[in-house]
């Protein structure tokens, strides 16, 4: 990990979780809170980074608030994903639908910890003061985050833009990224489904070994000459069952969590693309306004189009004003309309320059961020697949050791009973 990251001076873990209640005993809201622990490992540099040893409790909604804050505050960055808010059963079929299920909460704990570690190792996000406050403050942190008014950014503009607006010009980089995000989610979920089904079959096989061990043990009772070899065989197979299930649990906690993270990254990529689209919509809206105002100003010099121009200008005009448009405009009315159009044109032109500059900066930073993320993803996926291969080899090694031991035990000689 590069020394410039927050993780170079502190370890960040989620060590525990527990139920909490807000409100009265009977009507209170029951939820789960997670214990976030920050442990300083480099005291000399910890002050520079603005962190200290701390233990704070946060519920999932506060992690989500942190995600939303980073999403709005760093538009050009790919924000690490959160684990799913709702329990899904398409992949983790072993889980119950109870949101307080221990296995489910353990998966969530791991996912939330990875979320914090990804932020802490990000070249820009790790410096954010609100993130550091999250690590060191409990309930008060929400008021600190809300005080930034991050939600208000672009809110006024978005209210005036239709959700179904289609971009006229879209950067090929972001079009390709959207296609990749869709395919990443689809491929990751497909691999999760297949490997998880394989895991369930392996678990079923290992559980059957328990019955096999019992069968050999019971058989040894009637075979006095083979009693010890059969008992050893039963013991070896029983050990294989236990060791195999431990390996499968490790697979779920490591390999599947890594895959699930990149399935969730598809949503983070889509959020990233959406930020580009919102800025592009703003630019196209301003460009359209400028073209419209210039056309309207040109029509003012055409007497035959005078009334058509008035109608095009007053889309929200009342029936009375439309009726008055049937009469020829006076010079004073034309001057007033020209003045209004020039004012609106100047306002749009003044806004377009900064919007284009902002977009240029966004695209430059986003391109760098996408390349950084791709390299990180490449290394992480290679590591995950290597780890999965190592675990599969461990399954084979344990099986081979078991059956070699069985083979040896059957070569042992035992004195025949008299």
């Amino acid at each position: 990990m590069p020394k410039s990251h927050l993780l170079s001076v502190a370890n960040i873990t989620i060590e525990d979780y527990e139920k909490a209640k807000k409100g009265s005993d009977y009507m209170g809201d029951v939820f789960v809170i997670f214990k976030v622990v920050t442990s300083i490992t480099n005291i000399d540099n910890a002050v520079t980074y603005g962190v200290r040893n701390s233990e704070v409790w946060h519920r999932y909604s506060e992690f989500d608030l942190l995600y939303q804050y980073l999403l709005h505050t760093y538009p050009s960055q790919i924000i690490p994903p959160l684990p799913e808010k709702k329990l899904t059963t398409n992949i983790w079929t072993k889980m119950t639908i109870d949101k307080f299920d221990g296995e489910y909460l353990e998966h969530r704990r791991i996912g939330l910890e990875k979320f914090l570690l990804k932020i802490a190792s990000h070249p820009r996000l790790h410096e954010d003061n609100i993130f550091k406050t999250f690590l060191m403050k409990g309930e008060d942190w929400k008021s600190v985050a809300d005080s930034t008014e991050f939600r208000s950014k672009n809110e006024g503009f978005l209210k005036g833009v239709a959700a179904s607006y289609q971009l006229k010009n879209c950067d090929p980089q972001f079009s390709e990224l959207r296609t990749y995000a869709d395919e990443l989610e689809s491929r990751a979920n497909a691999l999760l489904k297949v490997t998880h089904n394989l895991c369930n079959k392996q678990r079923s096989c290992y559980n059957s070994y328990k019955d096999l061990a019992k069968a050999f043990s019971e058989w040894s009772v009637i075979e006095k000459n083979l009693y010890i070899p059969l008992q050893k065989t039963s013991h070896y197979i029983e050990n294989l069952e236990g060791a195999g299930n431990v390996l499968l649990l490790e697979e779920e906690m490591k390999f599947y969590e890594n895959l699930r993270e990149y399935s969730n990254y598809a949503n983070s990529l889509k959020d990233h693309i959406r930020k580009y689209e919102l800025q592009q919509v703003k630019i196209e809206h301003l460009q359209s306004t400028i073209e419209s105002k210039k056309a309207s100003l040109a029509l003012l010099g055409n007497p035959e189009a005078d009334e058509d121009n008035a109608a095009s200008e007053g889309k929200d005009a009342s029936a009375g004003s439309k009726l008055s448009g049937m009469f020829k405009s006076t010079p004073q009315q034309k001057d007033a309309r020209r003045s209004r159009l020039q004012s609106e044109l100047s306002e749009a032109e003044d806004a377009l320059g900064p919007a284009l500059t902002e977009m240029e900066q966004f695209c430059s930073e986003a391109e760098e961020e996408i390349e950084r993320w791709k390299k990180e993803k490449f290394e992480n996926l290679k590591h995950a697949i290597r780890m999965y291969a190592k675990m599969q080899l461990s399954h084979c090694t344990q099986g081979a050791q078991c059956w070699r031991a069985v083979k040896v035990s059957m070569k042992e000689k035992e004195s025949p009973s008299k």
Side-chain angles (χ1 to χ4, degrees):
M1 191 66 62
K3 293 298 181 183
S4 59
H5 292 165
L6 185 58
L7 295 181
S8 66
V9 301
N11 289 329
I12 301 171
T13 57
I14 297 182
E15 293 189 352
D16 199 6
Y17 51 83
E18 63 181 39
K19 287 184 182 180
K21 179 179 287 189
K22 184 177 182 180
S24 65
D25 292 339
Y26 299 102
M27 302 298 292
D29 177 26
V30 180
F31 51 88
V32 176
I33 53 177
F34 296 85
K35 183 180 180 181
V36 180
V37 178
T38 303
S39 304
I40 300 303
T41 57
N42 188 329
I43 299 177
D44 295 335
N45 292 331
V47 176
T48 303
Y49 279 85
V51 292
R52 53 178 169 76
N53 289 320
S54 62
E55 294 183 2
V56 295
W57 293 84
H58 289 294
R59 58 188 299 185
Y60 181 89
S61 61
E62 294 175 86
F63 285 88
D64 183 59
L65 181 61
L66 175 61
Y67 177 85
Q68 295 299 327
Y69 162 78
L70 295 173
L71 187 67
H72 287 78
T73 307
Y74 298 92
S76 63
Q77 305 302 297
I78 299 174
I79 310 303
L82 284 168
E84 302 93 328
K85 181 176 178 61
K86 295 182 179 180
L87 178 64
T88 56
T89 57
N90 59 330
I91 299 298
W92 307 107
T93 54
K94 281 181 59 187
M95 293 182 180
T96 68
I97 59 173
D98 180 9
K99 67 178 181 180
F100 299 116
D101 175 77
E103 186 178 358
Y104 167 61
L105 291 176
E106 178 61 17
H107 282 289
R108 171 165 282 191
R109 182 197 68 78
I110 294 172
L112 292 175
E113 183 176 278
K114 290 172 76 70
F115 169 68
L116 295 180
L117 292 175
K118 288 287 186 181
I119 298 173
S121 63
H122 191 282
R124 287 189 61 183
L125 303 183
H126 83 279
E127 300 176 335
D128 187 85
N129 289 328
I130 298 297
F131 168 58
K132 295 175 186 177
T133 304
F134 179 90
L135 298 177
M136 295 181 288
K137 282 194 173 185
E139 294 182 359
D140 294 340
W141 174 82
K142 292 180 67 175
S143 60
V144 175
D146 288 334
S147 67
T148 64
E149 299 183 347
F150 66 89
R151 292 187 181 90
S152 63
K153 296 179 180 180
N154 284 329
E155 185 175 344
F157 171 71
L158 292 178
K159 290 180 179 179
V161 178
S164 59
Y165 182 89
Q166 296 294 320
L167 293 179
K168 298 176 182 177
N169 299 295
C170 184
D171 190 320
Q173 174 183 227
F174 291 97
S175 296
E176 292 173 4
L177 189 62
R178 175 172 288 283
T179 300
Y180 174 76
D182 291 335
E183 292 181 348
L184 173 64
E185 184 176 26
S186 175
R187 302 294 191 274
N189 283 336
L191 184 56
L192 271 168
K193 182 177 180 180
V194 172
T195 53
H196 187 64
N197 287 341
L198 178 60
C199 178
N200 282 338
K201 291 178 180 179
Q202 287 177 303
R203 180 177 289 106
S204 177
C205 181
Y206 281 124
N207 290 339
S208 295
Y209 280 141
K210 185 183 296 184
D211 297 330
L212 183 61
K214 181 181 177 182
F216 274 114
S217 178
E218 291 175 346
W219 191 12
S220 69
V221 175
I222 63 171
E223 299 289 350
K224 295 182 179 180
N225 291 342
L226 290 175
Y227 177 79
I228 292 178
L230 289 174
Q231 280 292 317
K232 286 184 177 180
T233 297
S234 174
H235 174 71
Y236 295 144
I237 295 174
E238 191 171 358
N239 286 345
L240 176 60
E241 180 268 333
N245 278 319
V246 169
L247 270 178
L248 291 176
L249 181 61
E250 187 179 359
E251 278 184 31
E252 287 190 351
M253 293 300 179
K254 293 183 178 179
F255 177 69
Y256 298 129
E257 287 296 337
N258 281 333
L259 273 186
R260 196 65 186 156
E261 177 187 5
Y262 278 95
S263 174
N264 293 335
Y265 251 118
N267 292 325
S268 290
L269 291 176
K270 291 174 184 177
D271 284 339
H272 183 69
I273 297 163
R274 179 61 176 162
K275 289 181 286 186
Y276 160 77
E277 291 175 340
L278 290 175
Q279 294 198 53
Q280 182 63 20
V281 166
K282 186 175 183 179
I283 289 173
E284 292 184 5
H285 177 74
L286 289 170
Q287 290 173 335
S288 177
T289 299
I290 290 171
E291 292 176 3
S292 173
K293 301 307 174 186
K294 285 182 176 180
S296 297
L297 282 169
L299 286 173
L300 280 176
N302 184 353
E304 295 180 359
D306 195 21
E307 303 307 332
D308 291 337
N309 179 55
S312 65
E313 298 284 319
K315 293 180 181 179
D316 58 345
S318 65
S321 62
K322 287 184 177 180
L323 183 60
S324 64
M326 295 174 61
F327 301 95
K328 185 176 181 180
S329 299
T330 65
Q332 292 80 3
Q333 289 174 324
K334 292 180 66 174
D335 289 342
R337 191 181 307 134
R338 183 180 292 106
S339 177
R340 176 170 60 83
L341 286 171
Q342 288 174 339
S343 176
E344 292 173 348
L345 175 61
S346 297
E347 184 180 341
E349 288 177 334
D350 290 344
L352 180 60
L356 290 172
T357 301
E358 184 181 358
M359 174 61 89
E360 183 179 0
Q361 181 181 357
F362 173 88
C363 289
S364 175
E365 293 178 355
E367 182 177 6
E368 181 179 346
E369 171 66 1
I370 291 169
E371 287 303 311
R372 180 204 66 80
W373 179 80
K374 285 181 178 179
K375 290 179 181 178
E376 180 182 85
K377 175 208 65 178
F378 179 71
E379 293 300 325
N380 288 347
L381 286 180
K382 283 202 306 182
H383 173 73
I385 294 172
R386 284 196 300 265
M387 181 170 57
Y388 184 70
K390 182 179 179 180
M391 290 176 179
Q392 299 309 308
L393 287 171
S394 296
H395 285 296
C396 297
T397 300
Q398 288 180 351
Q401 289 174 345
C402 169
W403 295 112
R404 285 195 191 100
V406 170
K407 184 178 178 181
V408 170
S409 69
M410 288 300 158
K411 290 182 179 181
E412 295 177 355
K413 293 183 179 180
E414 186 171 337
S415 301
S417 59
K418 296 181 181 180

